[in-house]
Amino acid sequence: MTQIKDSYGLHASTLPDTQGLYGEFGGKISHPELARALDELETGFREIIKNDDFIAEMKRLRETYVGRPSPIYHAKRLTAHCGGAQIYLKREDLNHTGAHKINHCLGEVLLAKKLGKTKVIAETGAGQHGVALATAAALMGVACEIHMGVVDIKKEHPNVSRMKILGANLVPVSQGAGTLKEAVDSAFEAYLGDIKNSMFAIGSVVGPAPYPEMVGYFQSVIGHEAREQFLQATGSLPNKVVACVGGGSNAMGLFSGFMEDDVVEKIGVEPAGEGLDTPNHAATMTKGVKGEIQGFKCYVLLNDKGEPAQVHSIASGLDYPGVGPQHSYLRDANLATYEAITDKECLEAFMALSRLEGIIPALESSHAVAYAMKIAKDMPAEQSILVNLSGRGDKDIDFVLQKIKV
């Protein structure tokens, strides 16, 4: 892949070929009916992002509804606590709905309306995608159906309540492990039953084409903002940019702004769960193999039968046995590196950021914070780490209080 930017601002290393492939990863769905629907979606996406009215509407909604640009914050007390490199946060937790997910949900629902769809269907893990999609659907007068695993419904009760208040139809999913993978399966099945009237609005850079590219495009606003803001604030680029990775949407959003900058190390942080030496983790890039899941090729964790494994993370939004094809490609091309953080380290970072900076982060984002805290002490004080704080922790506080003493 040549290292150039395309006409709408994405770096070539984060763009697929005509078959939806990033190197050998990704791809198009083979199911005939789904393939036709996704071809329609891809055509609509490519048209809408070049439409002046759409561009103007997205700009207006980002500024007046979402609250963009989200700020860059220098976490001075956390930096002093860790010692070493300066830690900065890209505050996606301050967006309307409390996470980065609203960035692509607004685009997806606008696209659904352009295609004449009356309903959007989606999966959710931690509930942030579900809340953001229900929010966008309410704003634009589109019906919304959210599929969520029963385990995650119990863990993320505040977001469940928010989705119901916003008017979404919440579908509990009890099959298998009752978490994110099963929610995706259930949502796709529902979509197949109503392709004419509905659009599947996936919540990360996963799935068959065009979803990885589409979600990556809408999330790239994070990285483009962050690069400009960081240069303005400090006069230089960060030495490292760090983001948590489940499917990988917030990480692709951050990385997108720095793909031309070889001096900036891109680091994705995935869940080591109860330990990489146990089966209870979701460290796809660290422990996975090349395989297929839900219509696309990526690194994936497989069980003894060669099927996607049941995985574990304290963070519901990272509890997925696959990963976006862009990340799989970036890893193999040595354009980004991937590390893992345990549940214990995640909880410690959750409390540290809360107590030292007055910022309660999502458990997903806490993985990235934990990794930044781990490496900062071994870096010079004049160097810097930019963490994408992808979401706030309101949804997690009851669960965290069951796990720790305060």
Side-chain angles (χ1 to χ4, degrees), residues 250-264:
N250 91 89
M252 281 312 307
L254 181 63
F255 293 176
S256 291
F258 298 91
M259 291 311 302
E260 290 185 347
D261 302 308
D262 293 339
V263 296
V264 179

Side-chain angles (χ1 to χ4, degrees), residues 98-375:
H100 70 292
K101 297 292 187 180
I102 192 69
N103 298 329
H104 67 257
C105 286
L106 288 173
E108 287 179 327
V109 178
L110 282 172
L111 177 55
K113 290 198 73 170
K114 173 183 169 58
L115 296 175
K117 307 300 183 181
T118 58
K119 180 168 74 172
V120 286
I121 299 173
E123 86 302 333
T124 196
Q128 288 299 145
H129 174 60
V131 168
L133 192 69
T135 298
L139 174 67
M140 298 176 203
V142 175
C144 181
E145 179 177 301
I146 303 295
H147 294 243
M148 189 173 189
V150 292
V151 172
D152 295 333
I153 287 174
K154 184 177 179 181
K155 285 173 64 178
E156 306 292 359
H157 183 71
N159 274 348
V160 172
S161 299
R162 293 167 77 192
M163 284 183 272
K164 290 179 178 179
I165 289 170
L166 289 161
N169 174 29
L170 186 71
V171 179
V173 180
S174 58
Q175 295 96 327
T179 55
L180 182 55
K181 175 190 171 295
E182 290 76 23
V184 175
D185 291 336
S186 177
F188 256 119
E189 186 177 342
Y191 174 49
L192 266 173
D194 192 20
I195 283 180
K196 181 179 178 181
N197 300 307
S198 64
M199 187 184 102
F200 189 91
I202 209 159
S204 193
V205 287
V206 296
Y211 288 111
E213 178 186 4
M214 186 168 72
V215 174
Y217 166 72
F218 289 127
Q219 290 296 346
S220 67
V221 65
I222 299 172
H224 295 313
E225 280 182 4
R227 189 180 189 281
E228 181 179 346
Q229 290 170 316
F230 205 91
L231 278 170
Q232 187 174 34
T234 70
S236 61
L237 293 172
N239 296 93
K240 302 176 189 291
V241 293
V242 179
C244 65
V245 174
S249 60
N250 91 89
M252 281 312 307
L254 181 63
F255 293 176
S256 291
F258 298 91
M259 291 311 302
E260 290 185 347
D261 302 308
D262 293 339
V263 296
V264 179
E265 186 179 357
K266 276 71 74 174
I267 305 169
V269 184
E270 56 185 1
E274 295 175 6
L276 295 177
D277 57 345
T278 78
N280 299 320
H281 63 78
T284 307
M285 299 291 251
T286 307
K287 303 287 282 188
V289 296
K290 295 174 183 177
E292 292 189 9
I293 182 173
Q294 295 169 329
F296 71 105
K297 185 175 180 181
C298 64
Y299 278 96
V300 61
L301 292 165
L302 301 176
N303 62 22
D304 293 340
K305 297 180 181 179
E307 302 166 340
Q310 291 190 5
V311 294
H312 162 80
S313 171
I314 197 170
S316 296
L318 306 183
D319 202 357
Y320 185 65
V323 67
Q326 297 105 313
H327 288 293
S328 299
Y329 170 76
L330 291 178
R331 181 195 123 151
D332 281 9
N334 294 317
L335 294 173
T337 57
Y338 296 84
E339 306 290 345
I341 284 292
T342 65
D343 290 350
K344 181 176 182 293
E345 292 170 317
C346 167
L347 283 171
E348 290 171 352
F350 179 99
M351 292 305 300
L353 191 61
S354 298
R355 294 288 175 87
L356 292 169
E357 298 288 353
I359 299 171
I360 303 175
L363 285 171
E364 291 77 16
S365 314
S366 298
H367 284 74
V369 175
Y371 185 74
M373 292 173 63
K374 179 183 286 190
I375 62 172

Side-chain angles (χ1 to χ4, degrees), residues 51-72:
N51 180 279
D52 289 341
D53 290 340
F54 170 79
I55 294 169
E57 181 66 355
M58 282 296 293
K59 183 176 186 295
R60 182 185 74 84
L61 289 172
R62 282 171 174 169
E63 291 176 355
T64 65
Y65 192 71
V66 178
R68 304 207 71 89
S70 62
I72 294 277

